[in-house]
Amino acid sequence: VALLGRSGSGKSTFLRALAALDLGAEGEVIVPERRSVVFQDARLLPWASVLDNVILGLDGDDAERAGRDALTEVGLDGHEDDWPKTLSGGEAQRAALARALVRSPDLLLLDEPFGALDALTRIRMHALVQQLCATHHPAVLLVTHDVDEAVLLADRVLVLTDGAFSLDVRVDVATPRLRSDPAFIALRSQLLAELGVDEATEGDHAT
């Protein structure tokens, strides 16, 4: 599920409530016990190795092996002993993904994890997330400002407007999803309109 909304609409607040990170939130949510979060920045501890960042908080003899396996899955084998400052932005986000997935979450919460990446790295990360989700089968909530990203990755898109869901739509676009597909274009236009974006004046992305 991709969650869209203008800045200040409550997207990150909703995600933090699902992750039990916002202790001031009121109400009730029903979520799996095993949850992991990947934030916009990787949030790696600079004084710990990449592997130690991935297995942070895990106990047991199998933690290191699981961490190494997770790093291999995200294409960072050989970087186990590196310091976070030596990683590129894309590599740091791969390490953050490994840290999330090594916990075998039933719910993976992604809070604009590609927002700070360049366009080519972002495309590679899209493919990696699709591959990892197909392997591990978590439920996923992706918070994003990017309408194209939502249509490319999600099975379902929600739009949050002033703290309430104003649109809930299935993504009925053929695979592989192409921006030139009429169904892609139609859904993109519907989502932009719901976000109050005039395509003629606002460019390619809703912000």
Side-chain angles (χ1 to χ4, degrees), residues 155-177:
D155 300 308
R156 176 182 171 202
V157 181
L158 301 174
V159 176
L160 194 62
T161 304
D162 297 328
F165 296 117
S166 60
L167 184 67
D168 179 350
V169 62
R170 301 291 302 185
V171 179
D172 187 15
V173 179
T175 302
R177 295 181 183 175

Side-chain angles (χ1 to χ4, degrees), residues 96-126:
L97 269 174
R99 181 179 57 196
L101 290 170
V102 77
R103 287 155 173 80
S104 301
D106 293 315
L107 175 60
L108 179 61
L109 300 163
L110 305 176
D111 193 3
E112 301 188 57
F114 317 122
L117 303 178
D118 64 81
L120 290 178
T121 303
R122 193 168 182 143
I123 291 171
R124 296 188 185 102
M125 289 297 290
H126 287 170

Side-chain angles (χ1 to χ4, degrees), residues 55-108:
I55 63 175
L56 180 69
L58 295 181
D59 298 317
D61 297 334
D62 294 333
E64 182 174 332
R65 183 178 62 193
R68 291 181 181 275
D69 289 344
L71 285 169
T72 297
E73 273 198 288
V74 300
L76 287 180
D77 48 314
H79 292 272
E80 293 86 353
D81 297 325
D82 290 355
W83 298 111
K85 68 179 181 180
T86 67
L87 302 179
S88 67
E91 288 171 337
Q93 283 300 79
R94 286 172 181 262
L97 269 174
R99 181 179 57 196
L101 290 170
V102 77
R103 287 155 173 80
S104 301
D106 293 315
L107 175 60
L108 179 61

Side-chain angles (χ1 to χ4, degrees), residues 16 20 29 35 40 55 85-86 172 183-184 187 201-203:
R16 289 177 64 83
V29 293
R35 289 157 284 170
Q40 183 169 353
I55 63 175
K85 68 179 181 180
T86 67
D172 187 15
F184 188 108
L187 180 54
T201 59
E202 296 283 352

